[in-house]
């Protein structure tokens, strides 16, 4: 595979495009936002005026889009690959789509079923590691797709990530990513409550975290988020409140669709929903700790 498209050149997609180029792929990007297009063009990435050029020119197209609705519009809309992908020797489209967005597994499976008869394979490969990981190609991916599609995607995935876990068929990556982010969303709140308790009981937060990180209460939040973005006041992870609220909402939607009663998850959902009143959409997602640590 030589030519790869990237649709969505935001905080994550811009870095992914650069990582793919570093690995020797020709990359064509597209984003409707002029600022995103200009930033990628300044990076030296070829930027198209619309997505149709990508379906025609690329063997694989990577998506990094904000919500499931946008993913569905891009893939099943009138400018989508069903109306523009180039054909292989059997007359069917010869295209692989890799969705790195955090999306809803039911939407992913519905899209995959609509693309499959036309010969377009879909792999969901949502990521952790933030914009820095996207630029450095050190992302972690949880991957859903058939063995054949994931094997075909491997060179492209490997150019963007350091760790890849194939968790099941199409949609399984998005189930896993929602479970991961539900835990991260919960851990931010519980860690803030624990730090608040200990601080008010006279223990310095940095020493508290050193103790917790040597013990069984540790998590990615206590090991990474608090030292990197919270205790130093930086709040500059590159992942926004609006995106984490979206992820928690998607996890709640999945729990609802499965008809499950998960009380702690419901409370986490309520706290993140209510945070819209105090933390703006473009604030860093770690700002949820300010419920306790303002
Ligand atoms: P972002 O808002 O910075 O970028 C999304 C880009 O998609 C924007 O540039 C936007 O203009 C573009 N876009 C919107 N509609 C489009 C369309 N119809 N066609 C093409 N492009 C369109 O978001 P991000 O932080 O880069 O996140 C992208 C995805 O990755 C999200 O699903 C997010 O949840 C996930 N994610 C983000 C992070 C992070 O740290 N930022 C980490 C893991 C996963």
């Amino acid at each position: 595979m030589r030519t790869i498209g990237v649709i969505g050149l935001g905080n994550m997609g811009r870095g992914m495009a650069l990582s793919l180029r570093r690995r020797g792929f020709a990359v064509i990007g597209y984003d409707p936002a002029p600022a995103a297009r200009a930033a990628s063009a300044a990076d030296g990435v070829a930027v198209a005026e619309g997505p149709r050029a990508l379906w025609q020119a690329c063997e694989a197209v990577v998506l990094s889009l904000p919500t499931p609705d946008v993913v569905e519009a891009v893939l099943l809309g009138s400018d989508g690959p069903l109306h523009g992908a180039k054909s292989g020797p059997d007359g069917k489209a010869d295209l692989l789509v890799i969705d790195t967005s955090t999306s809803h597994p039911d939407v992913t499976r519905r899209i995959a079923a609509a693309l499959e008869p036309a010969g377009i394979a879909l792999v969901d490969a949502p990521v952790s590691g933030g914009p820095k990981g996207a630029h450095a190609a050190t992302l972690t991916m949880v991957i859903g797709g058939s063995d054949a599609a994931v094997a075909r995607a491997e060179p492209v995935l490997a150019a963007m990530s350091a760790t890849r876990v194939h968790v099941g068929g199409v949609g399984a990556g998005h189930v896993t990513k929602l479970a991961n982010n539900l835990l991260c969303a919960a851990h931010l709140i519980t860690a803030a409550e624990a730090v608040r308790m200990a601080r008010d009981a006279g223990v310095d937060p940095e020493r508290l975290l050193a103790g917790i990180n040597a013990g069984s209460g540790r998590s990615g939040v206590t090991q990474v988020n608090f030292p990197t973005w919270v205790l130093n006041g930086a709040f500059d992870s590159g992942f926004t409140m609006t995106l984490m609220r979206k992820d928690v909402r998607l996890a709640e939607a999945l729990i609802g669709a499965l008809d499950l009663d998960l009380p702690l998850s419901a409370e986490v959902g309520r706290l993140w929903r209510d945070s819209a009143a105090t933390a703006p959409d473009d604030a860093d997602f770690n700002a949820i700790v300010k419920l306790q640590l303002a």
Side-chain angles (χ1 to χ4, degrees):
M1 259 188 265
R2 298 275 27 110
T3 306
I4 310 296
V6 178
I7 297 187
L9 299 167
N11 285 327
M12 299 297 286
R14 181 181 173 187
M16 291 177 189
L18 284 174
S19 293
L20 288 163
R21 255 173 43 115
R22 265 201 320 277
R23 279 289 183 99
F25 291 108
V27 178
I28 309 176
Y30 169 67
D31 194 301
R37 281 209 299 275
S40 277
D43 290 341
V45 169
V47 177
E49 285 302 310
R52 277 178 183 257
L54 277 66
W55 311 130
Q56 269 300 313
C58 300
E59 290 103 298
V61 174
V62 174
L63 308 183
S64 178
L65 296 168
T67 62
D69 290 355
V70 175
V71 173
E72 186 159 16
V74 166
L75 291 179
L76 300 186
S78 55
D79 273 340
L82 291 170
H83 310 282
K86 68 177 176 207
S87 299
D90 61 357
K92 285 191 169 185
D94 186 20
L95 180 69
L96 173 67
V97 176
I98 298 169
D99 184 14
T100 70
S101 324
T102 302
S103 190
H104 193 296
D106 293 348
V107 175
T108 307
R109 288 173 180 142
R110 193 168 67 236
I111 295 170
L115 296 180
E116 204 260 352
I120 303 169
L122 179 65
V123 166
D124 46 312
V127 297
S128 294
K132 276 192 186 146
H135 276 79
T138 54
L139 294 167
T140 291
M141 293 179 154
V142 283
I143 302 164
S146 68
D147 288 347
V150 173
R152 193 173 155 203
E154 172 62 16
V156 181
L157 303 177
M160 300 187 285
S161 60
T163 306
R164 293 173 293 289
V165 185
H166 185 184
V167 289
V170 73
H174 282 144
V175 172
T176 307
K177 177 63 179 165
L178 294 186
N180 181 81
N181 279 25
L182 179 60
L183 283 173
C184 181
H187 289 167
L188 275 163
I189 294 169
T190 53
E193 292 186 1
V195 171
R196 172 66 182 271
M197 176 188 79
R199 192 186 70 186
D200 287 12
V203 175
D204 172 69
E206 287 197 13
R207 293 188 175 211
L208 171 81
L209 282 171
I212 288 173
N213 287 335
S216 58
R218 68 184 182 275
S219 67
V221 163
T222 60
Q223 292 182 308
V224 178
N225 296 52
F226 267 72
T228 314
W229 299 302
V230 175
L231 291 184
N232 60 6
F235 291 98
D236 62 352
S237 72
F239 186 49
T240 56
M241 266 288 174
T242 194
L243 287 176
M244 189 51 131
R245 282 198 278 259
K246 176 253 317 189
D247 293 353
V248 173
R249 209 168 48 237
L250 291 178
E252 283 193 288
L254 182 57
I255 291 165
L258 295 167
D259 206 17
L260 293 170
D261 177 21
L262 304 180
L264 195 51
S265 300
E267 184 60 7
V268 169
R270 183 186 71 76
L271 288 167
W272 276 90
R273 235 183 349 268
D274 290 356
S275 74
T278 49
D281 279 352
D282 61 356
D284 190 85
F285 81 115
N286 292 290
I288 194 78
V289 303
K290 294 178 183 173
L291 288 177
Q292 291 302 333
L293 304 174

